[in-house]
Protein backbone atom coordinates (compact mmCIF):
# COMPACT_ATOMS: atom_id res chain seq x y z
CA UNK A 1 0.00 0.00 0.00
CA UNK A 2 1.36 3.39 -1.02
CA UNK A 3 2.22 5.87 1.73
CA UNK A 4 0.30 9.19 1.94
CA UNK A 5 1.80 11.80 -0.37
CA UNK A 6 2.83 14.11 2.50
CA UNK A 7 4.91 11.31 3.99
CA UNK A 8 6.48 10.55 0.61
CA UNK A 9 7.31 14.21 0.05
CA UNK A 10 8.99 14.51 3.45
CA UNK A 11 11.07 11.46 2.55
CA UNK A 12 12.43 13.43 -0.42
CA UNK A 13 14.30 15.79 1.92
CA UNK A 14 17.98 14.75 1.82
CA UNK A 15 18.33 15.51 5.54
CA UNK A 16 17.47 12.52 7.69
CA UNK A 17 17.89 14.80 10.71
CA UNK A 18 15.09 17.07 9.49
CA UNK A 19 12.87 14.14 8.57
CA UNK A 20 13.27 12.75 12.08
CA UNK A 21 12.37 16.00 13.85
CA UNK A 22 9.34 16.51 11.58
CA UNK A 23 8.11 13.03 12.48
CA UNK A 24 8.80 13.32 16.22
CA UNK A 25 7.31 16.82 16.54
CA UNK A 26 4.15 16.12 14.57
CA UNK A 27 4.97 19.05 12.27
CA UNK A 28 2.64 19.24 9.25
CA UNK A 29 3.50 20.72 5.88
CA UNK A 30 1.14 23.36 4.48
CA UNK A 31 -0.28 23.11 0.97
CA UNK A 32 2.38 25.45 -0.41
CA UNK A 33 5.11 23.52 1.41
CA UNK A 34 3.89 20.30 -0.19
CA UNK A 35 4.06 21.93 -3.62
CA UNK A 36 7.52 23.32 -2.91
CA UNK A 37 8.79 19.97 -1.60
CA UNK A 38 7.62 18.26 -4.79
CA UNK A 39 9.11 20.97 -6.98
CA UNK A 40 12.49 21.37 -5.29
CA UNK A 41 13.27 17.87 -4.06
CA UNK A 42 11.82 15.50 -6.64
CA UNK A 43 14.68 13.36 -7.98
CA UNK A 44 13.96 14.23 -11.61
CA UNK A 45 11.67 16.13 -13.97
CA UNK A 46 9.10 13.40 -14.59
CA UNK A 47 8.79 12.51 -10.90
CA UNK A 48 8.21 16.22 -10.20
CA UNK A 49 5.35 16.26 -12.72
CA UNK A 50 3.79 13.11 -11.26
CA UNK A 51 3.94 14.41 -7.69
CA UNK A 52 2.49 17.80 -8.60
CA UNK A 53 -0.34 16.15 -10.54
CA UNK A 54 -1.05 13.90 -7.56
CA UNK A 55 -1.24 16.92 -5.25
CA UNK A 56 -3.76 18.85 -7.37
CA UNK A 57 -6.99 17.04 -6.29
CA UNK A 58 -6.23 17.64 -2.59
CA UNK A 59 -5.63 21.39 -2.97
CA UNK A 60 -8.29 24.07 -2.78
CA UNK A 61 -8.79 27.46 -4.38
CA UNK A 62 -5.75 29.37 -5.57
CA UNK A 63 -3.30 26.64 -4.58
CA UNK A 64 -5.23 24.18 -6.76
CA UNK A 65 -5.05 26.54 -9.74
CA UNK A 66 -1.42 27.39 -8.98
CA UNK A 67 -0.34 23.74 -8.97
CA UNK A 68 -2.15 23.18 -12.26
CA UNK A 69 -0.21 26.12 -13.74
CA UNK A 70 3.03 24.60 -12.49
CA UNK A 71 2.32 21.32 -14.25
CA UNK A 72 1.38 23.02 -17.51
CA UNK A 73 4.38 25.32 -17.25
CA UNK A 74 6.75 22.39 -16.76
CA UNK A 75 5.34 20.57 -19.78
CA UNK A 76 5.49 23.73 -21.87
CA UNK A 77 9.09 24.33 -20.80
CA UNK A 78 10.20 20.94 -22.06
CA UNK A 79 8.33 21.21 -25.35
CA UNK A 80 9.66 24.70 -26.06
CA UNK A 81 13.21 23.91 -25.01
CA UNK A 82 13.60 20.80 -27.17
CA UNK A 83 12.02 22.40 -30.25
CA UNK A 84 14.43 23.09 -33.12
CA UNK A 85 14.57 26.72 -34.29
CA UNK A 86 16.49 28.53 -37.04
CA UNK A 87 19.62 30.28 -35.81
CA UNK A 88 19.79 28.30 -32.57
CA UNK A 89 22.44 25.94 -31.16
CA UNK A 90 22.57 23.71 -28.10
CA UNK A 91 25.62 23.85 -25.87
CA UNK A 92 26.34 20.68 -23.89
CA UNK A 93 28.34 20.83 -20.67
CA UNK A 94 29.71 17.52 -19.33
CA UNK A 95 31.05 17.25 -15.79
CA UNK A 96 32.04 13.67 -15.06
CA UNK A 97 32.62 14.24 -11.32
CA UNK A 98 32.13 17.09 -8.82
CA UNK A 99 35.72 18.31 -9.17
CA UNK A 100 36.13 17.46 -12.86
CA UNK A 101 36.78 19.99 -15.61
CA UNK A 102 33.66 21.21 -17.45
CA UNK A 103 33.80 19.93 -21.03
CA UNK A 104 31.67 21.93 -23.50
CA UNK A 105 30.45 21.10 -27.00
CA UNK A 106 28.12 22.75 -29.52
CA UNK A 107 25.37 20.72 -31.17
CA UNK A 108 22.93 21.59 -33.94
CA UNK A 109 19.88 20.22 -32.10
CA UNK A 110 18.68 19.00 -28.73
CA UNK A 111 18.78 15.40 -29.95
CA UNK A 112 22.35 15.84 -31.19
CA UNK A 113 23.41 17.23 -27.81
CA UNK A 114 21.94 14.20 -26.02
CA UNK A 115 23.64 11.83 -28.45
CA UNK A 116 27.02 13.35 -27.60
CA UNK A 117 26.88 12.14 -23.98
CA UNK A 118 27.36 8.39 -24.61
CA UNK A 119 29.76 9.17 -27.47
CA UNK A 120 31.90 11.16 -25.01
CA UNK A 121 32.35 8.07 -22.83
CA UNK A 122 33.05 5.91 -25.87
CA UNK A 123 35.71 8.36 -27.07
CA UNK A 124 37.53 8.53 -23.74
CA UNK A 125 36.91 4.87 -22.84
CA UNK A 126 35.60 5.60 -19.36
CA UNK A 127 32.44 4.74 -17.44
CA UNK A 128 29.75 7.18 -16.40
CA UNK A 129 29.58 7.68 -12.63
CA UNK A 130 26.58 8.37 -10.40
CA UNK A 131 27.91 11.89 -9.77
CA UNK A 132 28.05 12.83 -13.46
CA UNK A 133 26.17 16.04 -14.25
CA UNK A 134 25.20 17.64 -17.55
CA UNK A 135 23.71 20.91 -18.69
CA UNK A 136 22.30 21.75 -22.10
CA UNK A 137 21.94 25.45 -22.85
CA UNK A 138 19.82 26.61 -25.76
CA UNK A 139 21.43 29.66 -27.36
CA UNK A 140 20.53 32.10 -30.09
CA UNK A 141 23.31 32.66 -32.64
CA UNK A 142 23.91 36.42 -32.82
CA UNK A 143 24.64 37.92 -36.24
CA UNK A 144 26.22 41.13 -34.96
CA UNK A 145 23.45 43.45 -36.15
CA UNK A 146 22.54 44.25 -32.56
CA UNK A 147 23.30 43.04 -29.05
CA UNK A 148 21.09 40.79 -26.96
CA UNK A 149 21.50 37.97 -24.50
CA UNK A 150 21.92 34.68 -26.33
CA UNK A 151 20.62 32.23 -23.71
CA UNK A 152 17.07 30.98 -24.34
CA UNK A 153 16.89 28.29 -21.70
CA UNK A 154 18.75 25.52 -19.92
CA UNK A 155 18.29 21.91 -18.90
CA UNK A 156 20.06 20.04 -16.10
CA UNK A 157 20.58 16.29 -16.47
CA UNK A 158 21.80 13.45 -14.28
CA UNK A 159 23.43 10.11 -14.98
CA UNK A 160 22.02 8.41 -18.07
CA UNK A 161 20.69 11.69 -19.45
CA UNK A 162 17.84 11.73 -16.92
CA UNK A 163 16.29 15.20 -16.91
CA UNK A 164 16.44 17.01 -13.58
CA UNK A 165 15.01 20.39 -14.58
CA UNK A 166 14.30 22.59 -17.57
CA UNK A 167 13.78 26.35 -17.54
CA UNK A 168 13.24 28.98 -20.18
CA UNK A 169 15.01 32.30 -19.78
CA UNK A 170 12.62 35.12 -18.94
CA UNK A 171 9.46 33.02 -18.96
CA UNK A 172 8.68 33.46 -15.29
CA UNK A 173 8.57 36.87 -13.69
CA UNK A 174 7.67 37.65 -10.13
CA UNK A 175 4.42 39.44 -9.58
CA UNK A 176 4.82 43.05 -8.45
CA UNK A 177 5.33 43.15 -4.70
CA UNK A 178 5.69 39.35 -4.50
CA UNK A 179 6.55 38.16 -0.99
CA UNK A 180 7.42 34.65 -2.15
CA UNK A 181 4.09 33.23 -1.03
CA UNK A 182 1.55 34.91 -3.30
CA UNK A 183 1.34 31.99 -5.77
CA UNK A 184 1.00 34.43 -8.68
CA UNK A 185 4.43 33.88 -10.22
CA UNK A 186 3.78 30.58 -12.02
CA UNK A 187 6.78 28.43 -11.06
CA UNK A 188 8.75 31.33 -9.55
CA UNK A 189 7.60 30.78 -5.98
CA UNK A 190 7.80 26.99 -6.02
CA UNK A 191 11.34 27.13 -7.38
CA UNK A 192 12.71 29.56 -4.82
CA UNK A 193 10.36 29.46 -1.82
CA UNK A 194 11.93 28.53 1.51
CA UNK A 195 9.89 27.66 4.59
CA UNK A 196 10.53 27.43 8.30
CA UNK A 197 11.03 24.00 9.82
CA UNK A 198 11.61 22.84 13.41
CA UNK A 199 15.16 23.53 14.58
CA UNK A 200 17.29 20.39 14.68
CA UNK A 201 20.82 21.83 14.74
CA UNK A 202 22.43 24.08 17.33
CA UNK A 203 25.50 26.25 17.54
CA UNK A 204 28.62 24.08 17.41
CA UNK A 205 27.00 21.06 15.73
CA UNK A 206 28.94 19.35 12.96
CA UNK A 207 26.96 19.06 9.72
CA UNK A 208 27.28 17.79 6.18
CA UNK A 209 25.51 18.93 3.03
CA UNK A 210 25.69 17.86 -0.61
CA UNK A 211 25.73 20.34 -3.49
CA UNK A 212 23.90 19.78 -6.79
CA UNK A 213 27.28 18.85 -8.30
CA UNK A 214 27.31 15.83 -5.99
CA UNK A 215 30.16 17.21 -3.88
CA UNK A 216 29.73 16.51 -0.18
CA UNK A 217 30.89 19.28 2.14
CA UNK A 218 31.22 19.66 5.88
CA UNK A 219 30.72 22.52 8.28
CA UNK A 220 29.89 23.69 11.77
CA UNK A 221 26.76 25.57 12.79
CA UNK A 222 27.72 29.14 13.69
CA UNK A 223 24.39 30.19 15.16
CA UNK A 224 20.72 29.22 15.25
CA UNK A 225 17.30 30.73 15.61
CA UNK A 226 15.33 30.03 18.78
CA UNK A 227 12.39 28.08 17.40
CA UNK A 228 12.07 27.53 13.62
CA UNK A 229 14.54 28.04 10.79
CA UNK A 230 14.59 28.14 7.00
CA UNK A 231 18.32 28.22 6.33
CA UNK A 232 21.13 26.78 8.42
CA UNK A 233 23.93 29.21 9.23
CA UNK A 234 26.94 27.08 8.28
CA UNK A 235 30.65 27.85 8.61
CA UNK A 236 32.16 25.55 5.95
CA UNK A 237 35.24 23.69 7.16
CA UNK A 238 36.87 23.92 3.71
CA UNK A 239 36.90 27.74 3.75
CA UNK A 240 40.27 29.51 3.70
CA UNK A 241 39.25 31.54 6.78
CA UNK A 242 38.96 28.37 8.86
CA UNK A 243 41.91 26.57 7.28
CA UNK A 244 44.11 29.60 8.10
CA UNK A 245 42.54 29.98 11.58
CA UNK A 246 41.61 33.58 10.75
CA UNK A 247 38.95 33.58 13.44
CA UNK A 248 38.72 37.38 13.58
CA UNK A 249 36.95 37.07 10.23
CA UNK A 250 35.29 33.73 10.96
CA UNK A 251 31.72 34.84 10.38
CA UNK A 252 32.55 36.30 6.96
CA UNK A 253 32.86 32.79 5.52
CA UNK A 254 29.34 31.68 6.45
CA UNK A 255 26.92 30.14 3.97
CA UNK A 256 23.13 29.86 4.22
CA UNK A 257 22.11 26.29 3.37
CA UNK A 258 18.42 25.32 3.06
CA UNK A 259 17.70 23.11 6.06
CA UNK A 260 16.33 20.16 4.01
CA UNK A 261 19.90 19.76 2.68
CA UNK A 262 21.65 19.83 6.06
CA UNK A 263 22.51 16.64 7.95
CA UNK A 264 23.57 16.77 11.57
CA UNK A 265 26.51 14.43 12.19
CA UNK A 266 28.77 13.53 15.07
CA UNK A 267 32.21 15.15 15.17
CA UNK A 268 33.92 11.78 14.81
CA UNK A 269 32.10 11.30 11.48
CA UNK A 270 34.02 14.21 9.97
CA UNK A 271 36.84 13.35 7.54
CA UNK A 272 40.25 13.43 9.22
CA UNK A 273 41.32 16.56 7.35
CA UNK A 274 38.46 18.58 8.88
CA UNK A 275 38.35 17.26 12.44
CA UNK A 276 41.05 19.54 13.87
CA UNK A 277 39.47 22.56 12.17
CA UNK A 278 36.08 21.65 13.64
CA UNK A 279 37.52 21.40 17.15
CA UNK A 280 39.32 24.73 16.74
CA UNK A 281 36.18 26.53 15.55
CA UNK A 282 33.99 24.95 18.23
CA UNK A 283 36.45 26.00 20.93
CA UNK A 284 36.44 29.54 19.53
CA UNK A 285 32.63 29.67 19.50
CA UNK A 286 32.49 28.31 23.06
CA UNK A 287 34.96 30.96 24.19
CA UNK A 288 32.86 33.85 22.89
CA UNK A 289 30.81 35.65 25.50
CA UNK A 290 27.08 35.26 25.01
CA UNK A 291 26.27 38.91 24.12
CA UNK A 292 29.03 38.96 21.50
CA UNK A 293 27.86 35.70 19.97
CA UNK A 294 24.25 36.90 20.01
CA UNK A 295 25.31 40.03 18.15
CA UNK A 296 26.94 37.94 15.43
CA UNK A 297 23.88 35.69 15.18
CA UNK A 298 21.56 38.67 14.84
CA UNK A 299 23.84 40.20 12.21
CA UNK A 300 24.39 37.13 10.04
CA UNK A 301 21.88 34.34 10.65
CA UNK A 302 18.94 36.30 9.32
CA UNK A 303 20.78 37.77 6.30
Amino acid sequence: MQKPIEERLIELFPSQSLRSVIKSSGYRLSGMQLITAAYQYAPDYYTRLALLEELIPGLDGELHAYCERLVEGQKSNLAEFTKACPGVVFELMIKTAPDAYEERYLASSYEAALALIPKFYEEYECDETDSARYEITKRRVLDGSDFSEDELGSMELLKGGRILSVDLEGRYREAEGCDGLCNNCENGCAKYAVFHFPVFVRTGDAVSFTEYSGKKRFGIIGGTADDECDYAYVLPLDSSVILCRDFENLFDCHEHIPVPLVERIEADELPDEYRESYIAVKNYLDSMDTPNRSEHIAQFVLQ
Side-chain angles (χ1 to χ4, degrees):
M1 183 176 178
Q2 193 175 45
K3 297 178 181 178
I5 188 167
E6 179 175 355
E7 187 174 340
R8 285 182 281 130
L9 288 172
I10 291 172
E11 289 176 351
L12 292 178
F13 295 149
S15 173
Q16 182 177 341
S17 304
L18 175 60
R19 298 198 302 268
S20 296
V21 76
I22 288 175
K23 182 177 181 180
S24 63
S25 67
Y27 183 88
R28 297 297 302 272
L29 272 64
S30 68
M32 187 60 189
Q33 283 178 303
L34 293 173
I35 293 173
T36 300
Y39 195 100
Q40 294 184 359
Y41 297 103
D44 56 55
Y45 170 86
Y46 287 106
T47 304
R48 180 181 301 113
L49 277 184
L51 289 170
L52 290 172
E53 288 176 330
E54 186 177 348
L55 280 174
I56 289 172
L59 299 170
D60 296 322
E62 176 55 31
L63 279 183
H64 181 103
Y66 175 59
C67 199
E68 287 183 324
R69 295 200 304 271
L70 282 183
V71 170
E72 292 309 309
Q74 287 286 288
K75 292 178 179 178
S76 175
N77 274 3
L78 182 60
E80 184 65 26
F81 181 84
T82 57
K83 184 170 64 177
C85 308
V88 164
V89 295
F90 292 79
E91 180 186 35
L92 170 67
M93 185 279 289
I94 296 178
K95 197 172 178 70
T96 57
D99 296 322
Y101 180 78
E102 293 184 358
E103 307 281 355
R104 294 182 180 272
Y105 306 92
L106 288 182
S108 58
S109 67
Y110 168 71
E111 291 76 15
L114 279 183
L116 287 174
I117 296 176
K119 294 182 183 299
F120 172 89
Y121 291 100
E122 291 174 11
E123 175 67 22
Y124 291 102
E125 298 180 344
C126 58
D127 295 326
E128 186 180 36
T129 66
D130 290 338
S131 60
R133 298 290 185 271
Y134 313 97
E135 184 175 33
I136 299 176
T137 305
K138 188 174 186 178
R139 298 190 183 278
R140 179 190 301 111
V141 178
L142 305 179
D143 61 12
S145 59
D146 54 15
F147 180 83
S148 66
E149 296 297 330
D150 66 339
E151 183 173 335
L152 299 174
S154 63
M155 173 186 287
E156 296 173 322
L157 305 102
L158 305 169
K159 179 183 178 181
R162 185 162 53 107
I163 299 172
L164 175 63
S165 65
V166 56
D167 291 294
L168 297 184
E169 189 67 21
R171 165 164 285 194
Y172 300 105
R173 301 294 185 188
E174 288 189 356
E176 185 176 354
C178 177
D179 61 1
L181 302 174
C182 66
N183 310 326
N184 291 324
C185 313
E186 299 186 12
N187 82 340
C189 291
K191 184 174 182 179
Y192 299 110
V194 179
F195 293 93
H196 289 81
F197 293 97
V199 173
F200 61 94
V201 289
R202 295 294 180 186
T203 302
D205 284 348
V207 294
S208 66
F209 57 98
T210 302
E211 299 177 336
Y212 160 72
S213 66
K215 182 177 182 178
K216 189 173 184 178
R217 299 177 65 198
F218 299 89
I220 180 171
I221 298 297
T224 56
D226 292 331
D227 44 15
E228 295 185 341
C229 60
D230 47 7
Y231 288 96
Y233 177 67
V234 178
L235 304 172
L237 293 174
D238 57 5
S239 71
S240 59
V241 169
I242 291 177
L243 293 174
C244 296
R245 304 295 192 264
D246 181 17
F247 291 158
E248 287 188 6
N249 298 302
L250 175 63
F251 295 96
D252 292 341
C253 77
H254 74 277
E255 295 183 22
H256 297 284
I257 310 300
V259 291
L261 301 179
V262 175
E263 190 71 70
R264 184 186 179 280
I265 61 175
E266 298 300 325
D268 59 10
E269 296 179 66
L270 289 166
D272 293 341
E273 63 266 32
Y274 295 130
R275 204 164 297 146
E276 286 188 9
S277 291
Y278 167 79
I279 293 171
V281 175
K282 189 173 189 309
N283 288 339
Y284 178 79
L285 292 174
D286 290 343
S287 71
M288 294 178 67
D289 60 273
T290 303
N292 193 20
R293 183 159 60 187
S294 298
E295 180 182 346
H296 280 292
I297 292 174
Q299 182 178 0
F300 290 110
V301 171
L302 300 179
Q303 288 182 357

